Amino acid sequence: MPDAADDWSALLRGITIDIPFPTACHPGVAEAEARGRQWAEQHGLARSDEARTRLHRGRFGQLAGRAYPAAGAALFQTTVDLMMWLFTYDDDYVDRTTPQAARTVPTIASAVNVLDRVRGDGVAPPFEAAFEDICGRLREQLTAEQFARFANGIRLALLAAPVQNYRRAAAQPLTLSEYEVIRRYLGGCPPCFALIDAANGDTLPAAEYEHPDLQQLALHANNVVCWTNDIYSLAMERSQPGQFWNMPLVYAAHGCTPAQALARTVERVHGEVASFAELAARVTPCGSTAQQRYVQGLGTWMRGLYDWTVNDTARYAPHYDPKGAST
């Protein structure tokens, strides 16, 4: 691990990332975010004043607006609420808690039970009830196949958390390849990407959705979203309890200086962007309209995450550094 005195924040101020895809935003963001906050309050997701403030300054509705700019009103509201649920989960059961927290695995199991339509034992009522509400709406708003894609992605995201927590407690740092696999699913991109075609008003057939080229494009986009987030969240996350691992910190744990670790991560983000653009240029002229719009949606997601991080949210602002506080 790098020494605590390393000034990651100063290095981050000089970081520039180029995400050369069009920016867009849903016109109903303000109203949907306000309704999403009310929904979060009704379901008890904000369990303290500090958590409530964190939920508000995150502006997760703005992220949904940038990710799904063409979504119909009902599905868009569901995506806003989903973002609030996902980030609450991330804070309460992944980042702002110790790896050995006793409630993490039972809470994750309760959410998987919702997806599997299995009645749980009620160990996490607010978290579970909120997710059950989201899933109920998505089952009505998506086709059965679209919901299955979403549900599979959520299962993988949830079950990646105990794996990361297990590795946090190990004496040896993660290898880069171990980190990339865990991050690919823990970051939550697969379930979010599974909503793109529905948000566009399309139904992407399985033969197209599962095509190796589209899956490769989704992997490039996943890496861009997760590793970009790793860079901008680094200064805050390294103060959280038990939170040791994102891509720059993995590089640093294996001998890179902070400056080298950040430079390598930025270089890899740009490499994934270039690979995505190259493959998309070959794939989209031959695909259906739904496929073309899905690929464009992946680009919108990459750019939307970047714009939200840099311009909208205060989630990663240095003056909100948690200093190790847990919720």
Side-chain angles (χ1 to χ4, degrees), residues 93 101-113 121-124 127-128 162:
Y93 302 104
R103 60 194 175 92
T104 297
V105 171
T107 302
I108 290 169
S110 74
V112 174
N113 275 335
D121 53 11
V123 297
F127 184 75
E128 184 176 334

Side-chain angles (χ1 to χ4, degrees), residues 72-86:
L75 180 57
F76 179 60
Q77 186 64 58
T78 305
T79 67
V80 171
D81 298 347
L82 173 65
M83 293 299 167
M84 294 190 176
W85 182 87
L86 282 170

Side-chain angles (χ1 to χ4, degrees), residues 55-96:
L55 186 72
H56 288 190
R57 69 172 179 253
R59 299 196 68 193
F60 304 122
Q62 188 74 20
L63 175 57
R66 292 190 180 278
Y68 308 109
L75 180 57
F76 179 60
Q77 186 64 58
T78 305
T79 67
V80 171
D81 298 347
L82 173 65
M83 293 299 167
M84 294 190 176
W85 182 87
L86 282 170
F87 278 94
T88 298
Y89 160 73
D90 189 59
D91 282 343
D92 286 0
Y93 302 104
V94 180
D95 285 348
R96 294 170 182 263

Side-chain angles (χ1 to χ4, degrees), residues 6-7 11 23 25 36-37 84 160 197 223 247 252 262 269:
D6 291 332
D7 192 358
L11 291 167
T23 187
C25 194
R37 291 177 182 178
M84 294 190 176
D197 63 327
N223 289 339
M247 183 165 279
L262 282 169
V269 169

Side-chain angles (χ1 to χ4, degrees), residues 21-327:
F21 305 109
T23 187
C25 194
H26 197 284
V29 166
E31 297 83 357
E33 175 125 26
R35 287 191 292 269
R37 291 177 182 178
Q38 292 175 351
W39 172 84
E41 288 285 347
Q42 291 167 1
H43 283 278
L45 290 184
R47 298 183 301 144
S48 66
D49 288 342
E50 196 280 331
R52 185 174 298 107
T53 300
R54 189 168 65 245
L55 186 72
H56 288 190
R57 69 172 179 253
R59 299 196 68 193
F60 304 122
Q62 188 74 20
L63 175 57
R66 292 190 180 278
Y68 308 109
L75 180 57
F76 179 60
Q77 186 64 58
T78 305
T79 67
V80 171
D81 298 347
L82 173 65
M83 293 299 167
M84 294 190 176
W85 182 87
L86 282 170
F87 278 94
T88 298
Y89 160 73
D90 189 59
D91 282 343
D92 286 0
Y93 302 104
V94 180
D95 285 348
R96 294 170 182 263
T97 187
T98 59
Q100 297 83 15
R103 60 194 175 92
T104 297
V105 171
T107 302
I108 290 169
S110 74
V112 174
N113 275 335
V114 170
L115 294 169
D116 295 345
R117 295 182 183 269
V118 173
R119 183 169 297 279
D121 53 11
V123 297
F127 184 75
E128 184 176 334
F131 189 49
E132 192 165 22
D133 177 61
I134 289 171
C135 288
R137 282 184 274 161
L138 285 177
R139 284 189 170 100
E140 295 178 354
Q141 294 162 355
L142 306 177
T143 68
E145 187 172 315
Q146 287 170 331
F147 183 81
R149 294 168 188 164
F150 164 80
N152 185 55
I154 285 285
R155 288 187 186 95
L156 290 167
L158 291 167
L159 296 174
V163 176
Q164 174 172 272
N165 286 352
Y166 168 77
R167 289 299 284 122
R168 283 185 191 174
Q172 296 298 316
L174 285 163
T175 66
L176 190 62
S177 61
E178 287 174 338
Y179 174 73
E180 288 179 16
V181 171
I182 294 170
R183 187 67 169 107
R184 188 181 307 153
Y185 296 103
L186 189 63
C189 285
C192 292
F193 291 175
L195 302 178
I196 290 174
D197 63 327
N200 288 336
D202 298 324
T203 303
L204 196 61
E208 295 188 36
Y209 184 83
E210 299 294 342
H211 191 280
D213 286 340
L214 246 62
Q215 291 298 305
Q216 185 62 49
L217 286 166
L219 177 57
H220 288 313
N222 189 334
N223 289 339
V224 170
V225 168
C226 290
W227 302 347
T228 299
N229 179 267
D230 280 0
I231 292 167
Y232 286 104
S233 65
L234 187 154
M236 184 190 73
E237 286 185 347
R238 67 190 302 270
S239 295
Q240 293 175 348
Q243 174 58 275
F244 307 142
W245 305 123
N246 61 27
M247 183 165 279
L249 292 179
V250 171
Y251 275 123
H254 291 282
C256 288
T257 66
Q260 290 170 336
L262 282 169
R264 288 190 181 184
T265 306
V266 171
E267 180 181 9
R268 293 201 64 193
V269 169
H270 286 157
E272 293 293 314
V273 169
S275 295
F276 178 93
E278 180 183 356
L279 181 56
R282 298 201 310 267
V283 169
T284 51
C286 306
S288 66
T289 300
Q291 179 178 300
Q292 292 173 7
R293 284 154 58 100
Y294 176 79
V295 173
Q296 291 169 358
L298 291 172
T300 300
W301 239 107
M302 288 184 276
R303 180 56 189 254
L305 182 281
Y306 175 81
D307 286 340
W308 171 76
T309 302
V310 173
N311 300 319
D312 303 327
T313 187
R315 179 174 172 81
Y316 308 120
H319 51 284
Y320 291 128
D321 190 325
K323 303 299 183 187
S326 60
T327 55

